[in-house]
Amino acid sequence: MALTDSATGKVIRDYSIEQLKDAANMMRGYDLVELCAAGSGHSGGTLSMMDIVAALYLHVANHDPKNPNWPDRDRIIWSAGHKAPALYVGLGYAGFCDINDVVTLRKLHSRFQGHPHWLKLPGVEVSSGSLGQGLSISVGMALAARLDGKKHKIFCLMGDGEKQEGQVWEAAMEASHYKLDNIIAVIDVNRLQIDGWVKDVMEVQPLEAKYASFGWEVLRVNGHDMKQLVDAFEKAKMIVGKPVVILADTIKGKGVSFMENVAGWHGKPPNREELDAALKEMGLTERIPVEKLLDRAKNYQAGQDRELAAKMPKFSRDFWWNSGDTMKVKMEPTRKGFGKSLANNGSDERIVCLGLDISGSITISDFYTGKPERANRWFSMGIAEQSATSAAAGFAREGKLPVLGSYATFMSARNLDQIRVSICYGNFNVLIAGAHGGVSVGPDGATHQALEDLFAMQGLPNMSAVVPCDIEETRKATDYLLLQHVGPKYIRFAREATPIVTDEKTPFVFGKANVIRLRKESANFADAFETRLASDYNNESEDLSILACGPMVPEAMRAAFILKQDFGYETRVLNLHTLKPIDAEAVISAAADTGVIITAEEHQIGALAWRVSGLLTESKQLYGKPVITAAIGVKDRFGDSGSPWEMVKELEVSAEHIAQKAVELMKIKKK
Ligand SMILES: Cc1ncc(C[n+]2csc(CCOP(=O)(O)OP(=O)(O)O)c2C)c(N)n1
C-alpha cells in the first residue's frame, strides 16, 4: 500500500524506487537543517535511518496524513526515540505536517520535541526516548489489533545498540509466543552507539541467529538499497504465523562523508559551515531553502523568548546571572567535579567503574582516560541499566567499590527494583551517579529530564542521597562518598554549566547543612556571601530562610540578593546538599529563628519540601510557633524541550520565582 485516502480507499500518492531515493536524499537535507537550527540533536542515527524512513512513510505503510488516527492505519513505533528528527521529516514528507515547521525542533513548546511526544504531534503513535520500550508497546498494540480483528501492521524501529536493553528480548519472546505476525521490527544496524562500536561496548551480534532462535522470521538487507528495502517490507507483510525482523545494514552518518562511521556525530548537530558542506555534498544546495528555514526557526525562538520574558516576575532591575556590572559569576558543569574526583581517587584498587554508553558526557570516563593501568577496572556494560545495577551489587559483595552512572532518570527509575533489592536491601557499598539531573539536559525534553529521581532514591532504606550545588562541591561530595561513606549512595549532578559558588575552603560535611549569608554586593558573586557549617552559625534573626539543594542553591543566593536590594530583607540560605540524612537541626533552627521557610528544588515539589515539612510538623521545638512555608519546584508536570535556562524559567524555579514567593510570605509574616 502507500499513502491512502482513508475515506475513499484511493492511493493519494505512490513513489517509484527512484522517487523514494530522491525523497530520502531530500529528507536527509531537511534533517540536517532542523538539527542545525536546533543546535543539538542526533545526526548520525537519523542519517543512517533515512532510507528506511522514506520507504516506510512514503510507500510501505498504509496511512492517511489527513486522518492520522484512522483506525485501520499501519502503526509505526519509534523505539529509538532519539531519532525523532528523522521521524519528523518522514511525517513532513508524507504530509502529516508542514515540512517547513520541523525547524522548530527542540525549541520550547514546539510540537517537535527532542524525543517524540504523541500528545503534541499527530502522526506520532507513542512517546519514546527511554530506549528499549518500543517493541513491548508494539506487542500490546499487536495483541489489541488481534482482539479487534484488525489487519494493520505494527512497524517497530530500533537501533542495534538498543538491543542491549533486556526488555527488548522480553518483548521478542512475547511476540514469538503469541505468533504476532502483525509485527514487523526494523533494526538500523549501523554498528555504532555513543561510546563507540557496538561490538566493543557490548556485542549484540549475531542478531540473525538470536532472533531466529527466538522464533522470528529474519530478513537481512542493505539498508541503503531502496529496492531491497521495499522488497523486504513487502515480503515481511506476507509472512504468516510469526513476527518478522528486518536487519538493515546501514552506515551511521550516511550521505555526509565527514559524518560517516564517526561515533562523535551520534549526538551532535552540524554547525552552519558543516551544514552547507553536507548539503553541497548531497547536491541539495539549490533545492532546500536553508536561509528561509533558519529564519523561520529564529522567528519562532524570538516569539518564545518574548513570551517567557513576559511571564517572569519583575523587580527594580534585571538581576539575571551576569546581567550587571557587579556580582559576576563563573559557571561550569557540576558533572566535571564528578570526573575530577574519579580521576584523582581512581588508583584505589577496589574501585571499579561501570559504563552505560554515555561515559564521556557524564565524565565517568575520566576514571580511565590517560590511565591505561586502570583499564582492567573499567567495565562497559552497554545500554543495560538494570543488569549493570545488579552487577554492581555483585562487585560490592566481593569487596569492590563499584561506581555506575547514566542520565539520572535512567539511573534511578528504570532500574529502581534492582537498586531496591540488589543494592539497598543487601546494604551494598555502591555509588550511583544520577548525571544530567533536573532540567540540565534541556532540549532532549521531558523523557530525559530527571525530575522525580530523588523521591525514589530518598525513599529507599539504607540509601544516602547527595545533591551538590556546584562543580567544587560535586568533587568534594564524590571524594567523600567514594572512599569514606559505606553503603548505597546516590549523587545527583547536572549537565549544563551552573554558577560556581563554593571554593576549596568552603566546608562540606556529609549530612550537615551550610548556612550562606549575603554580606555585601561584590565584584564576584561568590565573594558577596559568607558560608559556615550550620552547626557553627549563630542566629542573626533573619527575616526568612530559603532551604535549597543542588543548582537551586545559587538561585537561592541570587534570590537573597534580590530580596536585600529591592526589599531590604535578610535571608538565611541553607545549602542542604545532603538530602538523606537531612540536617534536621539546621532546618528546625531556620524555622524557629526566622518563622518563614521556602524550599527550593529542581525537581517535582516534594523531594525536599515534604521532607522539610515532615521535620517541621514533628518538631517539639516548633509547637505553638507559627512557621509560614512555601515550596518552589516543579508543579506536578513533565518538562519540555528548551534550553536548560529556559526550562528554569518555564518551570518557575529561578531566583526570581523564589524572591516573588518570599515577598508574598513576608506580607503574611508582617500581618
Ligand atoms: C534507557 C536509555 N538509556 C540511555 C539512553 C541514552 N542514549 C540515547 S541514544 C543511545 C545509543 C543508542 O545506540 P543505537 O541503538 O545503536 O542507536 P544509533 O547508534 O543508531 O543512534 C543512548 C545510550 C537512552 N535514551 N535510554
Side-chain angles (χ1 to χ4, degrees), residues 507-519:
F508 173 82
V509 180
F510 174 78
K512 297 286 169 211
N514 283 345
V515 169
I516 306 172
R517 292 281 289 117
L518 175 70
R519 294 304 182 202

Side-chain angles (χ1 to χ4, degrees), residues 195 353-359 364 378-382 388 403-405:
D195 280 357
C353 286
L354 279 62
L356 292 163
D357 192 34
I358 183 85
S359 308
I364 197 170
W378 165 257
F379 299 95
S380 170
M381 304 298 279
V403 182
L404 74 167

Side-chain angles (χ1 to χ4, degrees), residues 84-286:
L87 158 62
Y88 300 148
V89 289
L91 290 175
Y93 252 72
F96 285 83
C97 59
D98 182 345
I99 186 72
N100 298 305
D101 283 347
V102 301
V103 290
T104 64
L105 174 73
R106 292 182 155 241
K107 299 198 187 300
L108 192 61
H109 299 141
S110 169
R111 294 187 296 159
F112 305 92
Q113 290 284 296
H115 291 77
H117 191 24
W118 81 285
L119 296 171
K120 289 224 176 201
L121 184 64
V124 176
E125 290 290 352
V126 293
S127 307
S128 58
S130 178
L131 291 169
Q133 301 184 10
L135 195 55
S136 303
I137 294 175
S138 306
V139 166
M141 288 178 140
L143 288 169
R146 185 178 283 174
L147 280 177
D148 293 344
K150 297 276 186 198
K151 296 286 168 239
H152 60 260
K153 298 287 182 188
I154 293 115
F155 297 94
C156 179
L157 309 181
M158 294 175 277
D160 51 355
E162 190 182 2
K163 300 283 105 186
Q164 293 153 358
E165 286 287 1
Q167 182 179 354
V168 172
W169 300 104
E170 295 175 26
M173 212 157 38
E174 292 156 4
S176 170
H177 178 81
Y178 287 108
K179 302 187 178 11
L180 295 176
D181 52 14
N182 47 357
I183 289 186
I184 300 172
V186 186
I187 305 178
D188 177 9
V189 188
N190 59 29
R191 298 165 298 120
L192 275 171
Q193 53 189 117
I194 297 179
D195 280 357
W197 295 105
V198 174
K199 69 178 169 46
D200 299 330
V201 175
M202 180 58 62
E203 181 60 291
V204 298
Q205 295 289 356
L207 286 174
E208 235 165 322
K210 280 182 180 145
Y211 269 96
S213 73
F214 270 71
W216 286 56
E217 181 74 23
V218 184
L219 305 176
R220 186 158 190 176
V221 296
N222 173 348
H224 300 309
D225 182 321
M226 196 56 80
K227 173 92 173 56
Q228 275 190 38
L229 270 172
V230 167
D231 288 350
F233 275 121
E234 295 309 330
K235 187 169 171 198
K237 285 183 186 174
M238 308 309 290
I239 287 165
V240 179
K242 52 179 166 175
V244 188
V245 61
I246 299 175
L247 303 177
D249 290 315
T250 59
I251 293 169
K252 203 159 174 173
K254 173 72 180 173
V256 183
S257 53
F258 57 89
M259 293 186 185
E260 287 189 359
N261 287 322
V262 180
W265 280 101
H266 170 86
K268 203 173 96 165
N271 61 28
R272 184 60 209 269
E273 292 75 52
E274 289 160 342
L275 173 66
D276 288 343
L279 293 179
K280 189 167 174 214
E281 190 178 339
M282 293 189 285
L284 297 177
T285 308
E286 304 298 323

Side-chain angles (χ1 to χ4, degrees), residues 453-597:
D453 53 318
L454 295 168
F455 284 143
M457 294 302 101
Q458 287 187 102
L460 289 168
N462 293 335
M463 178 65 91
S464 298
V466 177
V467 190
C469 72
D470 68 2
I471 178 172
E472 182 61 21
E473 197 167 85
T474 305
R475 183 193 60 73
K476 287 180 195 161
T478 311
D479 286 354
Y480 172 80
L481 291 173
L482 192 60
L483 293 176
Q484 295 184 53
H485 186 83
V486 179
K489 46 214 168 181
Y490 181 75
I491 184 169
R492 185 208 217 210
F493 49 85
R495 184 181 199 289
E496 177 73 0
T498 52
I500 305 174
V501 293
T502 71
D503 61 27
E504 197 122 340
K505 294 193 275 338
T506 312
F508 173 82
V509 180
F510 174 78
K512 297 286 169 211
N514 283 345
V515 169
I516 306 172
R517 292 281 289 117
L518 175 70
R519 294 304 182 202
K520 56 175 186 337
E521 186 171 352
S522 297
N524 296 318
F525 184 82
D527 297 342
F529 296 85
E530 185 191 355
T531 301
R532 279 169 183 259
L533 266 181
S535 51
D536 296 342
Y537 179 70
N538 291 324
N539 177 20
E540 294 180 13
S541 298
E542 301 91 331
D543 297 299
L544 74 147
S545 303
I546 305 173
L547 279 48
C549 61
M552 293 306 286
V553 171
E555 293 300 321
M557 293 164 75
R558 195 161 63 82
F561 179 56
I562 299 174
L563 290 168
K564 176 73 182 171
Q565 292 280 301
D566 273 19
F567 305 92
Y569 295 145
E570 293 290 342
T571 305
R572 181 183 305 184
V573 173
L574 220 53
N575 174 2
L576 289 163
H577 47 68
T578 309
L579 270 189
K580 191 183 172 193
I582 199 162
D583 187 342
E585 207 182 314
V587 170
I588 290 161
S589 298
D593 297 345
T594 69
V596 175
I597 294 283

Side-chain angles (χ1 to χ4, degrees), residues 393 416-428 460:
L416 180 53
D417 192 43
Q418 285 78 3
I419 295 180
R420 179 174 180 268
V421 178
S422 298
I423 295 180
C424 287
Y425 188 43
N427 200 16
F428 285 127
L460 289 168

